[in-house]
Amino acid sequence: MTSPYDHDALWIKAKLFINRAMDDDFRSFDEQVLWAALALELLAKAALSKVSPLLVAEPTEEGTNLLIAIGLVAGDARFTSIKATTLFKRCHKAFKPFDQAEAIKIIKGRNEYLHSSGAGFMAIPSHAWWPRYWAQATTLITALDKDVSDFVGIDRMGVVQAYLEQDAKNVEQRTQALIERAKQRLQQHRDGNLPARVAREWQSDLDLRASLSYDTDAECPACAATGTLEGEDVLNAEVSYNDEPDDIQVTLTIGAEYFSCPTCHLVLMGYKLIKQAGLPEEFEAEGDASYIYEESDYGND
């Protein structure tokens, strides 16, 4: 019996589902994206499982799933994997530029379509849905050391490539629009020409920061003033020990996720917009000894 955490088996099943999703002649759009959403979840499991099966096993008090994942006990039928939101959060940290927010939207759309009276992903037109989908799927395909042709076949490569180009264009246009709008509003504010409602909003937006765990100063791409670059995910930690035993210096590398400027009120949310705007994709922050202890805490009671 094939192990439920086997990344090759998960990859093959994801390929089966995506080929059903790309059957334009036989399936409606809602059925296509349903299969595609299922394929994305399987891709995420396969990518994490290739690193370690423990990354997809749901922890339980008795540890059965973890023991099955590392092959110490038999029990495939009882194996339970982590929920999709946890799955995508881990992929977000492990496989840049995978965007957990976009992936979770896809899964929420699937759940709404299946389990409620809502329209789910049917509310988004196909020409807008597919570019966002393939932007996430291709990151996971790369994490599996595969390419798109391995996933969909050479005959369908052109279709995927067109969607990827559209996604890149959308990101570029969105970033440019946000920057130009920030420049325009700043000039209107300085000239005293902001409409009353916009002026009230401008005055109320005193603090646009997201209050993530780590931040640093960065030059605003719209007005060149000093803004704030923020992030939550620790990509790397370097520890150095000085002469005194308790004198520990921890330097963290943080993935950039959010930028805001108090001068022109530009806000860029997400790795893609930050990268497109030319802002640093990561930055350093100071940690302390508590970070090391938290990372090594095994939950002893």
Side-chain angles (χ1 to χ4, degrees):
M1 180 182 293
T2 303
S3 299
Y5 49 79
D6 180 75
H7 72 271
D8 284 327
L10 291 165
W11 162 257
I12 291 170
K13 192 171 184 180
K15 286 177 61 176
L16 172 66
F17 285 4
I18 199 62
N19 277 283
R20 290 177 180 175
M22 298 184 77
D23 283 340
D24 295 325
D25 297 333
F26 305 101
R27 306 184 195 279
S28 60
F29 172 63
D30 56 325
E31 185 181 355
Q32 284 182 299
V33 296
L34 176 60
W35 285 114
L38 295 170
L40 186 68
E41 187 172 352
L42 288 169
L43 275 178
K45 287 182 180 179
L48 287 174
S49 187
K50 184 174 183 180
V51 177
S52 171
L54 292 174
L55 292 174
V56 300
E58 177 69 32
T60 56
E61 186 66 28
E62 71 281 1
T64 301
N65 286 325
L66 301 181
L67 293 172
I68 294 173
I70 60 175
L72 285 180
V73 298
D76 292 355
R78 293 175 291 162
F79 183 86
T80 304
S81 61
I82 56 177
K83 60 184 180 180
T85 51
T86 303
L87 186 70
F88 292 145
K89 286 178 182 177
R90 292 181 181 179
C91 287
H92 175 78
K93 291 187 175 185
F95 311 125
K96 295 293 182 184
F98 185 83
D99 189 331
Q100 70 182 50
E102 286 292 336
I104 289 173
K105 285 178 187 177
I106 291 172
I107 293 303
K108 284 185 175 179
R110 179 199 68 184
N111 293 342
E112 183 181 350
Y113 178 75
L114 288 174
H115 304 299
S116 78
S117 60
F121 35 60
M122 291 178 65
I124 304 174
S126 62
H127 65 82
W129 194 90
W130 284 110
R132 293 159 62 180
Y133 175 85
W134 282 111
Q136 306 315 313
T138 51
T139 300
L140 298 176
I141 292 169
T142 301
L144 282 158
D145 298 318
K146 307 284 188 180
D147 58 40
V148 174
S149 63
D150 296 324
F151 192 49
V152 302
I154 295 176
D155 291 346
R156 287 172 167 165
M157 270 285 294
V159 175
V160 177
Q161 188 59 41
Y163 284 130
L164 290 173
E165 291 173 358
Q166 181 60 49
D167 180 70
K169 184 177 180 181
N170 290 343
V171 171
E172 180 182 357
Q173 290 175 340
R174 176 63 174 161
T175 306
Q176 183 178 359
L178 289 169
I179 291 174
E180 292 303 319
R181 180 58 176 152
K183 290 179 179 179
Q184 181 186 62
R185 285 188 303 178
L186 178 60
Q187 189 61 51
Q188 287 179 302
H189 171 68
R190 289 172 173 172
D191 294 342
N193 294 329
L194 279 175
R197 180 182 59 81
V198 179
R200 287 194 298 270
E201 292 176 356
W202 182 278
Q203 295 299 329
S204 65
D205 291 337
L206 300 178
D207 189 356
L208 298 169
R209 292 175 298 177
S211 299
L212 302 183
S213 299
Y214 306 96
D215 62 71
T216 190
D217 291 342
E219 182 179 306
C220 177
C223 68
T226 299
T228 304
L229 193 63
E230 301 179 57
E232 199 75 51
D233 295 339
V234 177
L235 306 180
N236 186 46
E238 293 186 2
V239 182
S240 58
Y241 299 88
N242 298 318
D243 296 335
E244 298 297 325
D246 294 332
D247 190 3
I248 302 173
Q249 182 176 351
V250 181
T251 302
L252 307 176
T253 301
I254 310 300
E257 300 175 47
Y258 185 94
F259 173 82
S260 61
C261 175
T263 301
C264 68
H265 295 197
L266 173 67
V267 172
L268 299 173
M269 298 177 61
Y271 173 85
K272 286 185 178 181
L273 295 182
I274 288 171
K275 180 180 180 181
Q276 181 65 43
L279 287 162
E281 298 167 40
E282 56 188 46
F283 60 90
E284 289 188 350
E286 183 179 351
D288 53 37
S290 64
Y291 176 81
I292 304 173
Y293 302 144
E294 288 172 7
E295 289 294 292
S296 60
D297 183 7
Y298 288 89
N300 294 326
D301 296 325

